[in-house]
Amino acid sequence: MAAETVVIRHEATRGGCSGAVGDVLFRSLTFLFALFVLLILGGVLVALADGALPALRTFGFSFLIDEVWNPVTEKFGALAPIYGTLVTSAIAMLVGIPVAFGVAVFITEICPIWLKRPLATMIELLAAIPSIIYGIWGLFVFAPFVQQYIQPAIINTFGQIPGIGALFAGPPLGIGVLTAGFILAIMVLPFISSIMRDVFETVPAMLKESAYGLGATRTEVVWQVVLPYTRIGVVGGIMLGLGRALGETMAVTFVIGNAHRITTSILQPGTTISASLANEFTEAVGDLYLSSLIALGLILFVITFIVLAFAKLMLLRLQKQAGG
Amino acid sequence: MRAFRIGFLGLAAAAAFGFGAWAAEISGAGATFPYPIYAKWAEAYAAKTGVKMNYQSIGSGGGIAQIRAKTVDFGASDMPLKPEDLQKDGLTQFPPVVGGEVMVVNLPGVQAGQMTLDGPTIADIYLGKIAKWNDPAIVKLNPGLKLPDTAIAVVHRSDGSGTTFIFTDYLSKVSPEWKDKVSEGTSVQWPVGIGGKGNEGVSALTSRTVGGIGYVEYAYALQNKLVHTKLVNHDGATLEPGIKVFQAAAANADWKNAPGFYLILTNQPGKETWPITGATFILMHKKQEKPDRAKEVLKFFDWAYRNGAQMAEALDYVPMPPNAVAIFEDSWKQIVGPDGKPVWDGHSS
């Protein structure tokens, strides 16, 4: 790295004055680009806040805690979509993280060399599939499968347990909060697993070999050497996946059932913020209706911001621990 | 993340409309339901006259907003504006085509056209009061059918839509309880059921769920061979859906005495009238700053009324009967230029 810098410096001085001017130009240009991103972000935020103002002024704080969403009487509350967004993302993380972790460990630690590249490429291909394809596949293929095999099994086992049974009650409809969570899990899996794979590969071979030399098993190496060494990257990957799950629109819209209701059972239909926007934006007649939808967008913006900020804080703490 | 996309979308839409307004062609924006027929007419009209019509199917809400902002020559909405709203914005409206809606069901052994339903029963199903297919109310309407003890899975549209408006308007007219609890709109707070996006979402959910019931546009049910039901109409007659009974609703409607043509064709009287029928509407400003463009728009729709019927029927839309067309074209006298003279002189040249 240092040697490279010296070479570049050297060439710059040989170019004389024009090199220095180019440097300044380049610096201002990149600064301008960076500023541009900030401007767009600020602009979007201002536009959202401005658009959401009528709804927030009309409903006040109750907008956040009201479940009613009635376009006819123009009474709107965001609780059902907020709830749906958080629950589907939680299910996606609950299912997606362990699988992604397993995939990444398999590829980096266990997989035979000849399978490594094809497998890694295929997982990255999952990330390249447009979300509408996931939605259509979810509606026509996955949901019927869930309805016929998975949901009856869940209802007959977990659904019968007193207490948590309420979470798994109701007729098997195929679509609903759980199915949306599953689809999201499949969608975030490639993101999380490819980042985990990349960071797992940064673990120095010497560390792992030392552990093996001391008689550690593969499981112990993964849990006590690889994971502690890479936890910052792992958390980063999970947060990226969570960000995608929170904002995902089309695939969820197809399989969640789009009902503005909060039900205790995760087998029943619900809705998310982005699904509500995708469904209702085009035909939202009336200023208050439109404003309420924009307010939903603002809430999603804030939720995403909180998640990112939380992730950054966690990373900072982890870094401190690693440093100290 | 979503917020970004919406921001960009708005920007892109603004740019598109900016250009539309400047180009030498007529431009419109709005409802998605009539888009196929408007596009078909535009293509045929451009081939004949060279005048291009650029229609953006962005949804009724967008269409109303765009015509208010005068970024397009006409707006389009599946839900007619109330006379007082027309007055407020200086707009006028007229309907170019009519569409019908049917109920589709999924019950093993029940074929298309075998089941009969009536308005109050449908309202009770969508209210959640009738939850089983062997409910006495359904059995009474279908003495010949063997109805199972299956739960009814109610399916509705999740996206805001003119189809929903027409359907809920019908339920409001036939059931006081529906009117009171839910009422009508392009999207409503559904007491029960699951939502599918678009006609294809509703039909996918209905045809996949045993015991499912949904409402879709007739053309969609026809093209996808869904199991539709017969309906009992306002006069108590049991009808099979079809272009003839949809057109009867438009022909029997009292357009003359409806201010601003604010008339929703659901539950209209007449022995041959299909109960769930609705028109889609064109919105224009009464006072035109660019009378030449307004005239081009009216020429286009005049041509469509006269020559577009076959094209409409080929796409399963219902063309307006001639007696109604005469009334609509008479109303174009309200559209005037800056000099106060009507831009439409009753001739297409």
Side-chain angles (χ1 to χ4, degrees), chain A residues 64-150:
Chain A
L64 285 178
I65 50 164
D66 204 342
E67 192 194 330
V68 177
W69 184 270
N70 192 336
V72 178
T73 56
E74 296 217 309
K75 198 156 169 4
F76 300 103
L79 193 62
I82 293 175
Y83 173 82
T85 304
L86 296 179
V87 171
T88 50
S89 296
I91 294 172
M93 291 292 116
L94 225 60
V95 178
I97 293 173
V99 178
F101 178 72
V103 168
V105 168
F106 179 77
I107 290 178
T108 52
E109 303 295 325
I110 301 164
C111 181
I113 302 284
W114 61 269
L115 190 62
K116 218 168 181 169
R117 290 196 67 146
L119 197 62
T121 312
M122 269 190 269
I123 288 177
E124 268 157 27
L125 266 180
L126 268 185
I129 298 174
S131 62
I132 182 96
I133 305 290
Y134 278 106
I136 291 170
W137 175 79
L139 180 63
F140 289 105
V141 183
F142 188 64
F145 175 77
V146 170
Q147 181 184 22
Q148 271 170 16
Y149 301 104
I150 300 182

Side-chain angles (χ1 to χ4, degrees), chain B residues 310-332:
Chain B
Q310 256 182 353
M311 278 175 261
E313 283 184 22
L315 289 169
D316 296 308
Y317 292 92
V318 182
M320 282 293 173
N323 65 333
V325 169
I327 301 171
F328 303 146
E329 293 203 340
D330 191 51
S331 80
W332 292 355

Side-chain angles (χ1 to χ4, degrees), chain B residues 58 62 72-73 86 100 111 137-138 144 161 188 194 216 234 238 243 253 269 276 285 288 293 300 336 343:
Chain B
I58 55 170
V72 286
D73 299 319
L86 288 174
Q111 310 287 318
I138 305 175
S161 119
V188 298
I194 46 180
V216 293
H234 179 272
T238 304
I243 294 213
I276 319 180
H285 280 282
Q288 293 286 339
R293 295 183 68 109
F300 173 79
V336 297
V343 298

Side-chain angles (χ1 to χ4, degrees), chain B residues 256-326:
Chain B
K256 243 194 175 105
N257 294 314
F261 301 132
Y262 184 79
L263 199 60
I264 299 144
L265 300 177
T266 54
N267 204 32
Q268 293 294 308
K271 268 221 142 14
E272 288 282 286
T273 299
W274 185 252
I276 319 180
T277 316
T280 184
F281 288 81
I282 294 294
L283 299 165
M284 287 180 77
H285 280 282
K286 279 192 202 161
K287 231 177 149 53
Q288 293 286 339
E289 282 150 23
K290 298 182 209 131
D292 294 345
R293 295 183 68 109
K295 189 173 175 186
E296 287 300 329
V297 174
L298 295 176
K299 267 163 77 176
F300 173 79
F301 283 106
D302 175 63
W303 175 87
Y305 277 139
R306 282 167 214 286
N307 307 294
Q310 256 182 353
M311 278 175 261
E313 283 184 22
L315 289 169
D316 296 308
Y317 292 92
V318 182
M320 282 293 173
N323 65 333
V325 169

Side-chain angles (χ1 to χ4, degrees), chain B residues 127-151:
Chain B
L127 279 167
K129 285 168 71 187
I130 295 179
K132 295 262 181 187
W133 278 110
N134 62 356
D135 189 279
I138 305 175
V139 172
K140 211 178 117 197
L141 286 164
N142 299 280
L145 274 184
K146 230 177 102 61
L147 291 162
D149 179 39
T150 309

Side-chain angles (χ1 to χ4, degrees), chain A residues 59 71 114 125 153 159 199 203 221 228 230-231 240 287 289 298 305 307:
Chain A
F59 304 115
W114 61 269
L125 266 180
V199 296
V203 179
V221 171
T230 56
R231 56 189 167 190
L240 191 75
D287 298 337
Y289 192 2
L298 184 67
F305 179 78
V307 166

